[in-house]
Amino acid sequence: MTNATLVCRDLWKLYGPDPKGFMAQHASRPSEDAIRAAGYVAAVADASIEIERGEIFVIMGLSGSGKSTLVRCMSRLIEPTSGGVLFDGLDLLSVSPADLIELRRHKMGMVFQHFALLPHLSVLDNVAFPLEIRGVGRRERETPAREMIELVGLAGRENYMPHQLSGGQQQRVGIARSLITNPDIWFLDEPFSALDPLIRREMQNEFMRLQDALHKTIAFITHDFDEAVRVGDRIAIMRDGRIVQVGTPEELIIAPADSYVADFTREAPRSKILSARAIMRDAAAGETVTGSIPATAKVCEFAARVDGSEHPVAVADEAGRQIGVVDRRAVMRVLVGAEELA
Amino acid sequence: MSVAAVNSKAVDIPARVNPTSVAMAVFAALALLAFATGDSVIPAWMRELPRSWQLGLDSGISSLMKWLVEQANFGLFTFKEMTRAIAAVLNVPLEVATAFLSRGLQEGRGSAAVQLAPPLPWVAVVGIVAALGYRFGGPRLALVAGGCFLYLAVFGQWASAMTTLSSIVVAAPIGIAAGLVCGVAGYRMPLFRRIMTPVLDLMQTVPTFAYLIPILFLFGFGPVAAMIATIIYAAPPMVRVTMAALSAVPREIVEYGTMAGTTPRQMILNVMLPAARPQLLVGVNQVIMLSLNMVIIASMIGAGGLGFDVLTSLRRLDIGRGLEAGVAIVVLAVALDRLSQAYAEGARRREAQGDGRTFLLALAAFVAVTYFVGLFLPFVATYPEAFTLSTAPWWSEAVRWITVNFFDFFDAIKTFLLLNLLLPVKRFMLAQPWPLVVAALAFVGWRLGGVRLAALVAGLALFIVLNGLWEFSMVSVYLCAIGVLFAAMIGIAVGIYAGLNPRAWRIVEPVIDTLQTLPSFVYLIPAVMLFKVGDFTAILAITLYALAPAVRFSAHGIQQVPEMLVEAGTSMGCTRRQILQRIQLPVALPTILLGVNQTVMLALSMLVITALVGTRDLGQQVYIALTKADTGKGLVAGLCVAAIAIIADRLIQAAANRLAAQRSGASHAA
Ligand SMILES: Nc1ncnc2c1ncn2[C@@H]1O[C@H](COP(=O)(O)OP(=O)(O)OP(=O)(O)O)[C@@H](O)[C@H]1O
Ligand SMILES: [Mg+2]
């Protein structure tokens, strides 16, 4: 795809005595058994993904499945053992150290699970730090820093020290700081996992609000399927370093690749994910329908309407043509969580 | 040998008849045999290698030194010119500090000097210290720090104290900066770290006196040479602290630095060092304390001030004056320690420390005003002599009184211990032929840590043998062993008691904290005061100096026993005593052993200092070498002390590790 901002091809990261030599021996495609037998750990195994411009690409998986390692390979915080990373068509792995620094200064932003604020700097200085190391003068960097702080809702706390802020506030600083350089790609490694559930929800909303305004290309890591569904356009599910499946939340629910993926999707709020298109059936010949809903409408949006109507409701595509119908039974199956739907 | 014996006991706790205990029994029997037969049976070369078999390392080093100083040439400049240049550069900040604090700005040298401007008035200095105390730690610290400096003025120690302080305010920052630079280099370059780690080990075990000699040789006698010695002594912990602190910076912070696009230099300067600041400040505190620790020793190669006062009084056995100056060092140490600790503490809590500029301006204004006023009102500039108090006569009187009234008592104790413990142990140690000791050490090393440890330990012992210092070393071992024995007995008992009893701990903790801030030399004063010179006095000083870690580690060991285990014991119906014996002590044993290890290290570092009170051991060899400026001899004797220290350290640590491993292997300790 030409529109991809970030592309990973056959990416491997092995830990062990001599990863490169081992990969060479196995022609860059070692089997899982060979890896285990030789005492290596494959933190990332043969991962290929494409993140398109302006999308939120979620990487999710259980703890230890290699999410952090993958995202660190994509930003070259960790050198992959083999494979390739293309960033805006540029081979990231062959970029010189000096160019990499330039690239990070201008085109990449990253948010960390434990915030990673610099403890000795105030909120203002933390947010302005990426500009400071670029050599931007105090006056010139403080204006945008104040704007960013305002944007994440921390106006008035510019002179607080990190330890004087709550977790949620610290992460707002982390977000402001990673956005101040207006990056082309934004990495978020479990940005809300260290927060308690209420704050997490609030921050997710905040994050969505920001993204609506900014349209960043985002790699977002989480181990929480709910969060993945809330924020993600597409989700990659990882297990033991491998990418098991990539798809929209709806695709994952409708057609999970295996039981591992199905386990994640089981508890998901289906009514908020599944759309009319996914649960509609063909209208029987001469069936009466009342009204019509768009094919992209989520179940939760039209459940009441279908429930309140005597007859099935028509489903219409963008052009307004009827492509199927949704009846009470279909809605009930989603709401009651019927497994047989898959 | 005695160290080995202590270890074997620790290891043999799960006592069974095994080959190890049989071998140890054989060694013990041989040792007793050697003691009983005496000189008649053991050939002389087993006591001390004949001169012709020795390595001759000492004369080699001496010639090298001579060559360096007299002939070495780097093309553009000679070695001597280089050392001169270093000394000249270091002399500049020292001159500035002295001008501010003690001498004022002078024209000309020596007695012909004319004072152009006086130094800072005492009122200003006390004020600065109190203000810093207020800023770092609030009114209480202001009172303590200001009070300490006021004490120096009132008790007539001001002039000396300011001389000492000026060398510390220069030496400590240089030591800190050097430590930081080496630490960063060690962090960034693994190869450099691999080279530096053993060097640091050595620098911290070789007695200070040993490197006073080459410094004396290279830089001559005087305040600059003394300052260089202080820096060399005080910087190593900063190197370690820096490397550890940088490695401990959270991984995410380093990753953030990378992602923000820092250059390697920005990463260190703008991200890692500031993030590691709280830990680094702990190192800063250590450097300051170690610099103070060197005050007296440094006065042997030309530092003036309080250290010089102590040393000269000690030489003249003028106990009152010596004690007075000693107390002044302690007071200075307490003030600087509390100030730097409070500063580090504030950084740890990351308090926003208000507006620094206003504070500095106010302080500068205060200093300027007092300085100006001092020009007209002499009592503001210098504390009036008429109002100084001297405790010296009082101390001398007290000592005289004690000696008059208790001489027989003290003498009886001393004689009793000398006859019944010290001399027999000394004779026993001296009776041991070195092949037996080397073999026993190698065996213990092998049992505790395998072939590598055995080789290391035996190799170090042979190093001593090959340098012809076996008998002196055995005397050193004897002095330390008994000092450690006393310190461990008293320290472990007090530690266990304090560990069990929180109220006692609250009293004991500040006491050992204070004991550990005292320069080692200070311990010599009361010992000499009461027991005159000799082995007994030396052992007493060693015991006092080495006591604190035994107490601290024992108390910690007991406190760290999981509450769960004690409760389990109680529920099984153990008495208090059984709980202590069967549960708490065994669990705490590895920690207590580490405390003993620290005690041994401190005892060895005290060893050379006790040479001043007339022991005949390695310490004395170093000291003699110092007075004769015999570099080779001094360094070799110093290296032998380091060898003993490393042997003891590695063996005890191996024993503690084994114990801990056994413990974690078996779910329930015996
Ligand atoms: N430096 C390393 N050396 C050896 N193994 C490593 C290293 N770093 C990561 N691993 C292994 O790689 C695997 C993936 O780790 P990673 O941190 O990427 O997981 P994660 O999905 O981010 O987990 P979490 O949700 O806990 O953050 C783990 O099994 C981990 O043990
Ligand atoms: Mg992770």
Side-chain angles (χ1 to χ4, degrees):
Chain A
M1 258 174 257
T2 48
N3 205 22
T5 298
L6 195 78
V7 178
C8 297
R9 292 248 163 79
D10 313 327
L11 209 58
W12 286 83
K13 179 64 191 179
L14 290 188
Y15 286 105
D18 174 26
K20 291 240 183 233
F22 179 80
M23 283 304 275
Q25 266 173 32
H26 291 79
S28 292
R29 295 210 162 264
S31 71
E32 269 174 46
D33 293 333
I35 295 171
R36 201 160 324 122
Y40 285 84
V41 175
V44 172
D46 202 16
S48 299
I49 52 176
E50 299 192 347
I51 304 179
E52 276 158 46
R53 193 169 309 286
E55 85 167 328
I56 305 184
F57 189 90
V58 174
I59 299 165
M60 81 150 289
L62 296 178
S63 182
S65 58
K67 310 178 295 285
S68 299
T69 312
L70 176 58
V71 84
R72 278 164 177 70
C73 287
M74 298 195 296
S75 58
R76 236 182 117 185
L77 273 175
I78 297 179
E79 290 296 330
T81 314
S82 76
V85 179
L86 290 181
F87 175 55
D88 271 343
L90 180 74
D91 178 5
L92 200 61
L93 301 184
S94 61
V95 163
S96 74
D99 289 344
L100 195 58
I101 287 177
E102 277 309 300
L103 214 57
R104 286 177 172 145
R105 285 183 175 184
H106 297 278
K107 303 206 161 158
M108 294 180 176
M110 185 153 176
V111 179
F112 296 85
Q113 179 172 1
H114 301 287
F115 323 134
L117 300 188
L118 298 180
H120 60 288
L121 297 182
S122 67
V123 169
L124 184 64
D125 291 339
N126 256 298
V127 175
F129 183 81
L131 299 182
E132 183 192 341
I133 55 165
R134 252 155 64 172
V136 178
R138 180 163 279 281
R139 188 82 50 76
E140 292 80 67
R141 66 180 188 250
E142 283 190 354
T143 318
R146 282 179 202 283
E147 281 165 15
M148 283 320 300
I149 293 171
E150 172 103 43
L151 185 67
V152 298
L154 280 181
R157 296 187 200 263
E158 286 83 356
N159 293 322
Y160 281 45
M161 297 306 278
H163 72 101
Q164 295 169 313
L165 301 176
S166 71
Q169 290 168 333
Q170 292 192 34
Q171 196 58 298
R172 284 166 193 267
V173 178
I175 288 175
R177 158 182 94 166
S178 66
L179 285 175
I180 195 164
T181 55
N182 193 17
D184 291 348
I185 177 118
W186 198 17
F187 300 104
L188 297 105
D189 184 1
E190 305 208 23
F192 309 134
S193 297
L195 307 175
D196 42 16
L198 274 180
I199 308 285
R200 193 182 309 165
R201 182 56 65 95
E202 183 190 321
M203 293 292 290
Q204 287 163 358
N205 293 335
E206 191 80 20
F207 169 74
M208 296 309 287
R209 183 180 65 78
L210 271 176
Q211 172 65 357
D212 281 345
L214 301 173
H215 306 295
K216 293 282 164 207
T217 306
I218 294 174
F220 189 110
I221 295 185
T222 179
H223 60 248
D224 175 2
F225 194 65
D226 272 351
E227 184 168 85
V229 167
R230 282 172 64 82
V231 306
D233 294 323
R234 284 194 302 150
I235 301 174
I237 302 220
M238 280 189 85
R239 174 195 195 175
D240 296 341
R242 290 183 187 273
I243 297 200
V244 186
Q245 189 175 6
V246 182
T248 62
E250 197 167 10
E251 284 163 5
L252 295 180
I253 289 186
I254 296 171
D258 60 10
S259 62
Y260 179 75
V261 180
D263 278 347
F264 274 121
T265 59
R266 186 159 303 136
E267 301 292 320
R270 287 156 178 276
S271 65
K272 289 184 192 158
I273 301 166
L274 295 178
S275 60
R277 189 192 294 277
I279 65 165
M280 70 188 184
R281 61 175 167 79
D282 292 338
E287 195 172 12
T288 354
V289 292
T290 29
S292 130
I293 47 175
T296 52
K298 304 289 181 210
V299 173
C300 63
E301 294 163 10
F302 59 79
R305 186 155 156 214
V306 173
D307 186 44
S309 107
E310 193 92 3
H311 304 286
V313 177
V315 178
D317 66 7
E318 286 95 86
R321 279 170 299 160
Q322 178 177 342
I323 52 171
V325 295
V326 172
D327 58 15
R328 262 191 209 155
R329 218 172 102 77
V331 169
M332 282 304 283
R333 268 153 102 197
V334 173
L335 293 181
V336 178
E339 243 76 70
E340 59 268 31
L341 199 88
Chain B
M1 184 58 210
S2 80
V3 176
V6 169
N7 279 310
S8 73
K9 235 204 272 158
V11 181
D12 284 347
I13 281 175
R16 267 169 265 127
V17 181
N18 57 18
T20 308
S21 16
V22 173
M24 289 313 295
V26 172
F27 278 124
L30 284 175
L32 283 175
L33 197 68
F35 181 43
T37 52
D39 290 341
S40 51
V41 182
I42 299 167
W45 64 268
M46 283 200 181
R47 303 219 166 287
E48 198 75 88
L49 233 42
R51 190 94 191 135
S52 54
W53 296 8
Q54 290 173 17
L55 280 181
L57 199 58
D58 46 355
S59 49
I61 293 178
S62 292
S63 339
L64 179 71
M65 224 45 194
K66 213 163 154 184
W67 175 80
L68 273 178
V69 173
E70 288 173 4
Q71 281 163 32
N73 196 323
F74 298 116
L76 286 181
F77 49 86
T78 62
F79 188 77
K80 183 135 199 164
E81 280 164 354
M82 185 184 82
T83 56
R84 285 239 175 94
I86 294 175
V89 170
L90 286 176
N91 194 34
V92 174
L94 190 61
E95 284 290 326
V96 173
T98 334
F100 269 107
L101 288 170
S102 74
R103 261 203 333 254
L105 205 55
Q106 287 182 341
E107 170 97 79
R109 298 212 143 263
S111 52
V114 186
Q115 199 178 54
L116 299 177
L120 288 181
W122 70 276
V123 179
V125 176
V126 173
I128 292 174
V129 170
L132 289 178
Y134 185 79
R135 190 165 169 78
F136 300 157
R140 250 187 73 144
L141 185 61
L143 224 60
V144 171
C148 282
F149 273 67
L150 197 63
Y151 170 95
L152 296 174
V154 173
F155 287 88
Q157 305 294 316
W158 189 258
S160 293
M162 287 308 112
T163 308
T164 298
L165 187 63
S166 27
S167 90
I168 292 200
V169 296
V170 178
I174 295 179
I176 290 163
L180 269 176
V181 170
C182 293
V184 169
Y187 174 79
R188 293 283 306 272
M189 293 178 275
L191 181 68
F192 188 65
R193 177 170 51 229
R194 284 242 294 286
I195 298 171
M196 207 160 44
T197 315
V199 173
L200 289 179
D201 280 347
L202 211 59
M203 277 170 88
Q204 289 187 316
T205 41
V206 172
T208 351
F209 280 5
Y211 51 76
L212 287 190
I213 309 168
I215 290 174
L216 196 58
F217 221 79
L218 297 178
F219 297 98
F221 183 92
V224 175
M227 202 172 75
I228 292 171
T230 308
I231 293 170
I232 291 178
Y233 175 70
M238 190 70 202
V239 182
R240 282 181 207 274
V241 168
T242 307
M243 289 196 291
L246 289 180
S247 317
V249 171
R251 189 182 135 170
E252 278 198 345
I253 292 207
V254 181
E255 288 183 339
Y256 167 65
T258 316
M259 284 309 288
T262 52
T263 60
R265 193 189 141 93
Q266 285 173 326
M267 174 68 101
I268 292 289
L269 291 182
N270 297 12
V271 178
M272 297 190 71
L273 284 179
R277 205 172 86 122
Q279 289 94 305
L280 292 177
L281 285 175
V282 175
V284 167
N285 173 266
Q286 279 194 25
V287 172
I288 295 176
M289 295 323 285
L290 287 179
S291 311
L292 272 161
N293 210 332
M294 267 299 273
V295 160
I296 303 178
I297 298 171
S299 65
M300 289 180 180
I301 59 169
L306 293 172
F308 182 75
D309 294 353
V310 172
L311 200 64
T312 41
S313 331
L314 217 55
R315 282 190 180 136
R316 282 187 276 115
L317 280 182
D318 180 351
I319 298 302
R321 290 288 308 280
L323 214 67
E324 216 175 26
V327 170
I329 295 178
V330 173
V331 167
L332 194 62
V334 168
L336 296 184
D337 180 45
R338 297 294 182 274
L339 280 176
S340 56
Q341 265 191 22
Y343 183 68
E345 188 73 5
R348 200 173 55 71
R349 281 186 275 116
R350 304 192 189 280
E351 277 168 355
Q353 291 183 327
D355 185 6
R357 214 170 304 154
T358 334
F359 173 78
L360 279 182
L361 275 179
L363 198 58
F366 166 75
V367 171
V369 168
T370 44
Y371 192 85
F372 190 68
V373 172
L375 293 178
F376 302 101
L377 300 177
F379 67 88
V380 173
T382 35
Y383 187 82
E385 195 122 359
F387 291 98
T388 54
L389 305 174
S390 175
T391 47
W394 187 85
W395 287 115
S396 302
E397 183 54 31
V399 172
R400 205 187 57 80
W401 184 81
I402 292 175
T403 354
V404 167
N405 289 284
F406 292 96
F407 178 77
D408 293 340
F409 175 67
F410 282 133
D411 206 46
I413 296 182
K414 180 169 147 181
T415 317
F416 176 82
L417 283 172
L418 266 177
L419 288 181
N420 293 299
L421 181 69
L422 271 51
L423 291 180
V425 172
K426 188 176 187 175
R427 280 217 316 282
F428 178 84
M429 299 302 289
L430 284 173
Q432 299 309 315
W434 60 262
L436 177 63
V437 180
V438 173
L441 282 174
F443 180 75
V444 173
W446 177 60
R447 292 305 302 154
L448 285 176
V451 180
R452 281 186 60 166
L453 185 62
L456 175 76
V457 166
L460 287 170
L462 281 175
F463 174 81
I464 297 175
V465 174
L466 285 172
N467 281 299
L469 288 169
W470 184 254
E471 303 215 311
F472 287 117
S473 297
M474 288 316 259
V475 178
S476 292
V477 172
Y478 133 79
L479 287 171
C480 280
I482 296 188
V484 167
L485 184 75
F486 286 163
M489 274 183 353
I490 302 169
I492 293 176
V494 173
I496 289 175
Y497 179 72
L500 292 173
N501 186 336
R503 206 163 333 135
W505 177 238
R506 238 171 294 143
I507 301 170
V508 169
E509 198 190 9
V511 172
I512 53 175
D513 276 352
T514 315
L515 283 182
Q516 287 197 312
T517 53
L518 304 191
S520 42
F521 234 96
V522 170
Y523 290 88
L524 214 50
I525 305 172
V528 174
M529 201 165 82
L530 300 178
F531 295 100
K532 304 290 178 286
V533 296
D535 282 8
F536 184 79
T537 308
I539 286 175
L540 190 67
I542 291 175
T543 306
L544 289 175
Y545 183 60
L547 196 59
V551 178
R552 187 186 303 281
F553 279 77
S554 308
H556 278 190
I558 294 286
Q559 285 160 353
Q560 278 161 9
V561 174
E563 192 57 30
M564 202 177 62
L565 289 184
V566 177
E567 280 166 5
T570 318
S571 70
M572 283 184 274
C574 295
T575 60
R576 277 294 319 135
R577 200 188 160 78
Q578 283 172 323
I579 290 180
L580 179 62
Q581 279 180 351
R582 301 292 183 86
I583 299 175
Q584 289 168 312
L585 280 185
V587 175
L589 196 58
T591 314
I592 296 179
L593 263 184
L594 288 183
V596 172
N597 191 15
Q598 289 283 310
T599 302
V600 175
M601 294 302 120
L602 286 188
L604 280 164
S605 71
M606 187 69 189
L607 195 66
V608 183
I609 293 167
T610 58
L612 285 183
V613 296
T615 55
R616 290 184 48 76
D617 69 332
L618 286 176
Q620 181 220 26
Q621 290 297 301
V622 180
Y623 191 58
I624 292 176
L626 176 61
T627 51
K628 292 197 206 143
D630 182 343
T631 321
K633 190 171 165 184
L635 266 186
V636 168
L639 284 174
C640 289
V641 177
I644 297 175
I646 295 172
I647 291 175
D649 177 64
R650 297 300 133 88
L651 287 181
I652 297 176
Q653 274 192 18
N657 287 345
R658 252 184 82 117
L659 257 178
Q662 276 172 12
R663 285 296 146 65
S664 56
S667 58
H668 181 64

